[in-house]
Amino acid sequence: MLHFPSPVGDDAVGMAGEGQRKAFQYGLRPPLLRLSNRDNWDASWGEQELIQRMAALARTAGLPFSRTLIVAYYVSLKTNPFVVLTGIEGAGKTELATLFAETLLGHGSPQYALINGDSSWLGATGDQRSFRSLFDHFTSLRFLELLQEAADPGSAGKVFVVCFDGMHPAEVNYYFTTLLSVDEEGRTRLRLPGVSEDERPIVPANVSITATVNTAEGVGVLSADVLRRAGVIAFRARRSTQVFWHPPTPAPVGLQRLWLRAGRRDAAAAREHLFQIIGSTQWNRMGCSEPLAVALRRAGMGLTPRLRQDVMLYVANSFDAEGRGLFDPDDVLRNTQIAFDHQVAQRLIWRLRDVPDLMLTYLMSDPDRLPPLAWAG
């Protein structure tokens, strides 16, 4: 039986910091320092370099991803621990998730789990059989083992990446509406039948989950819970070319800890970071760019206070710790506008109907067609 310890907390970080202090005090670098602690020895890399590494690996592998798409996925993962990639089969959704894992963890890392879906449940008769199939998907032994390892205090500096590949919209809806629960301490757990609440597996903060949804495989829409609690990126209708994965150069020491430090998921901390960069007055003036604003007006939709807060969180995460934009490192306001539009599109695209194909392409974050999403492409 799997036993899940408490997630890594401040105590574990404090213990690691004390060990580092002693090492520096004696001026010696331990010869066999664990990888999770070695990450503290090299702070020369930042998020700009991490994104450049992703883009370079994509080019080497022959992936047709623009820098804009790479950054959009990267910022989505910083903002949300769960990101949904939608589009036709073969559009490159799985390759994008694998690209992130390869960049951060290296080639063939056991910290990356690619869990293939099984669409055979779509032909099942009866709710019980369908439930059993999609329940097994999220409680596979590989997934539970990865959660257990990620929750171990020894994994304080490690990143774990999961990709549920080829899911149906109903499976994604089930994950958020039925399987996930939040305990009294704010920890996310898997609600497994027959398992007491305190023994339910924890989904630690150092786990990033991506689900790919082949929208051509079945009729279905993502629920409001999914759209509110996950990042959603829709791929346009194109197929990726053949991919040749070349083992990347070893990841610089400290890359995983850099990623763990980079995300701002607390609204207050994100707001403070953003206001230090653009100021509260400029933020209050921000709105959608004109093409997107027109589409929303035609659909009778507006930005609610809750949606605007979600957008703020995403925009704050589109800047690195030094205040440079990830979409556009040289223009703060342009980076803000690109991130603002991306997040609004992610949140509202599934609610827009009867939108012209050209506008739909824009909303799907096509980096090659329309501004302002093309600015950083």
Side-chain angles (χ1 to χ4, degrees):
M1 180 178 179
L2 297 174
H3 298 282
F4 290 83
S6 300
V8 177
D10 294 338
D11 291 341
V13 175
M15 293 169 61
E18 177 65 13
Q20 296 157 23
R21 184 191 64 76
K22 291 181 179 179
F24 282 115
Q25 176 182 347
Y26 292 100
L28 297 175
R29 178 172 178 169
L32 298 177
L33 197 63
R34 290 184 58 175
L35 180 60
S36 60
N37 288 331
R38 283 178 56 227
D39 283 350
N40 292 309
W41 292 93
D42 188 350
S44 60
W45 270 52
E47 289 186 84
Q48 304 289 344
E49 290 75 19
L50 176 54
I51 290 175
Q52 290 174 9
R53 177 178 168 87
M54 285 186 68
L57 181 57
R59 290 192 299 270
T60 302
L63 293 168
F65 299 152
S66 72
R67 187 179 185 279
T68 300
L69 179 59
I70 290 173
V71 173
Y73 176 61
Y74 178 93
V75 175
S76 293
L77 281 176
K78 277 184 66 179
T79 308
N80 299 284
F82 195 106
V83 173
V84 180
L85 305 179
T86 71
I88 65 170
E89 186 175 3
K93 305 182 296 297
T94 307
E95 287 76 12
L96 183 57
T98 302
L99 172 66
F100 175 76
E102 293 262 334
T103 301
L104 202 60
L105 309 176
H107 186 64
S109 171
Q111 292 167 229
Y112 174 48
L114 176 60
I115 302 175
N116 294 315
D118 180 7
S119 59
S120 61
W121 73 275
L122 291 173
T125 57
D127 294 338
Q128 184 62 33
R129 183 177 172 187
S130 298
F131 172 84
R132 184 74 255 172
S133 177
L134 56 86
F135 173 78
D136 289 344
H137 198 158
F138 286 111
T139 57
S140 69
L141 183 60
R142 179 71 186 94
F143 183 42
L144 295 181
E145 286 178 338
L146 184 140
L147 293 182
Q148 182 180 28
E149 182 179 356
D152 189 281
S155 297
K158 295 181 180 180
V159 175
F160 295 81
V161 181
V162 180
C163 178
F164 289 109
D165 190 31
M167 300 184 67
H168 188 269
E171 293 183 277
V172 181
N173 293 338
Y174 166 79
Y175 182 86
F176 283 98
T177 60
T178 303
L179 197 58
L180 282 188
S181 65
V182 178
D183 64 18
E184 295 179 352
E185 299 180 20
R187 298 174 297 188
T188 302
R189 293 180 178 268
L190 296 182
R191 187 186 291 115
L192 303 182
V195 178
S196 62
E197 184 173 351
D198 60 340
E199 292 185 351
R200 289 173 178 170
I202 295 169
V203 182
N206 57 343
V207 175
S208 295
I209 301 175
T210 297
T212 71
V213 177
N214 298 327
T215 53
E217 288 191 357
V219 178
V221 295
L222 299 177
S223 70
D225 283 334
V226 175
L227 297 176
R228 185 175 66 252
R229 299 169 62 185
V232 181
I233 298 178
F235 279 55
R236 63 174 175 169
R238 69 178 179 184
R239 294 183 179 273
S240 60
T241 57
Q242 188 174 2
V243 179
F244 299 94
W245 288 111
H246 300 279
T249 57
V253 175
L255 211 55
Q256 293 185 49
R257 282 191 180 271
L258 166 67
W259 168 254
L260 293 176
R261 292 194 302 266
R264 291 179 173 82
R265 294 172 181 170
D266 176 75
R271 183 183 301 106
E272 180 181 2
H273 180 63
L274 183 60
F275 285 3
Q276 288 177 347
I277 299 171
I278 68 171
S280 60
T281 301
Q282 183 62 48
W283 170 251
N284 292 332
R285 293 173 179 172
M286 286 299 302
C288 299
S289 60
E290 187 59 22
L292 183 53
V294 168
L296 296 180
R297 285 197 296 268
R298 287 176 178 174
M301 299 169 60
L303 301 183
T304 64
R306 181 169 186 171
L307 176 58
R308 192 172 179 88
Q309 178 170 305
D310 291 341
V311 172
M312 182 271 296
L313 198 64
Y314 184 92
V315 173
N317 277 294
S318 74
F319 290 94
D320 63 18
E322 288 72 40
R324 297 185 66 200
L326 299 178
F327 287 103
D328 188 334
D330 301 316
D331 191 323
V332 168
L333 293 183
R334 196 160 76 171
N335 183 87
T336 302
Q337 186 67 68
I338 295 172
F340 195 103
D341 284 347
H342 265 284
Q343 183 63 359
V344 172
Q346 285 186 25
R347 294 291 178 180
L348 299 181
I349 184 173
W350 293 100
R351 294 169 55 188
L352 293 174
R353 304 299 181 193
D354 301 322
V355 179
D357 290 342
L358 191 62
M359 181 56 64
L360 182 61
T361 300
Y362 169 82
L363 292 174
M364 292 173 70
S365 305
D366 186 331
D368 306 318
R369 299 288 295 276
L370 296 171
L373 302 183
W375 287 342

